[in-house]
Amino acid sequence: MKRYVFAGLLVFAIVLIVSFPARVAYRLFAPPDLSLSGISGSVWSGTASEGLAGGAYIRDISWRLRPADLLTGKLAFSTTSRPASGSMETDVAVGIDGSLTLSNLAGSVPLDLVHPAFQRAGISGDLSMQFEKLMIRNGLPVDVKGSVTVANMYAPALSAATLGDYQAQFVTNDGAISGTVEDLSGVLDVIGTIAISPDRSYSLVGDVAARPGAPPSVEEQLRFLGSADDRGFRQFRFEGQL
C-alpha cells in the first residue's frame, strides 16, 4: 500500500511540475525588469501576448524552459518575440538576484522606436542587434558583449539623404561597459567610444569628418562642432541618462 501511495504522490508531483501554470509562476518568480500580460501555457512551454523586458516593448512572446540551466541556479528559457516592429530571438535566464540575462540575442527594430530622443529629432534607420550576452539588473545593463548596427541612418538635421551604416561594439571590463563606434559606409567618417556608468549616465565621445562627395549640408552642420584638426576631423560629445 505504501508503494502505491508513494507512486501516486510521485505521479501527482510530476504532473504538477510539468503542467505548472505559467501565470502562477510569473506572479511568484518574475523579476522586476520583466512585465507580461496575456499569459497562457505552462512554465515549461507557454506564450504571452505582450510585455516589457528591460524597458523594451515586445509582443507575440513564446518560451520553452531549459531544465539543464537549473543546475546553474538560473531559470532559463529559449524565447522568440516581436518588438513593436521587427523581430527578436534569444535565450533568457532569470537569476536569483532578480537579474535578467539575454544570451545569443539576435534582433532587428526601427531605430526611432528605441528611444524617444530619436523620434523627437526625426532620426531613423534599421537597427540590428547581435549580443552574446546582455545582463540587465534594475533596468540597467550591467554586463554586455555584442554589437549594434544601424543601417540606412537618416538624420534630417544633417542631410536630406541617408548617412550610411554605422556599428557599435560593446564589452564589459571590471564592471564597466564600454564600446567603440565606427562607420561601415556612408558620407561620414566616424570613430568614437561609448561609456555607460552604474549611475545610468552615458557618454559618446569621438571624431567625425565629412567624406569626399558628402552633401554640402553635412559639412555646414559639422562646422557647429568647432574647428577641424589637421586631418579634417571635429570632436563631438553626447551625454545623458539611460
Side-chain angles (χ1 to χ4, degrees), residues 5-58:
V5 172
F6 177 77
L9 291 175
L10 180 60
V11 171
F12 174 78
I14 292 174
V15 171
L16 178 63
I17 293 172
V18 171
S19 61
F20 194 74
R23 284 176 294 181
V24 176
Y26 171 73
R27 289 196 296 267
L28 293 176
F29 306 117
D33 291 315
L34 181 65
S35 176
L36 301 177
S37 63
I39 300 172
S40 63
S42 71
V43 69
W44 290 83
S45 179
T47 62
S49 59
E50 61 183 353
L52 293 172
Y57 174 77
I58 50 178

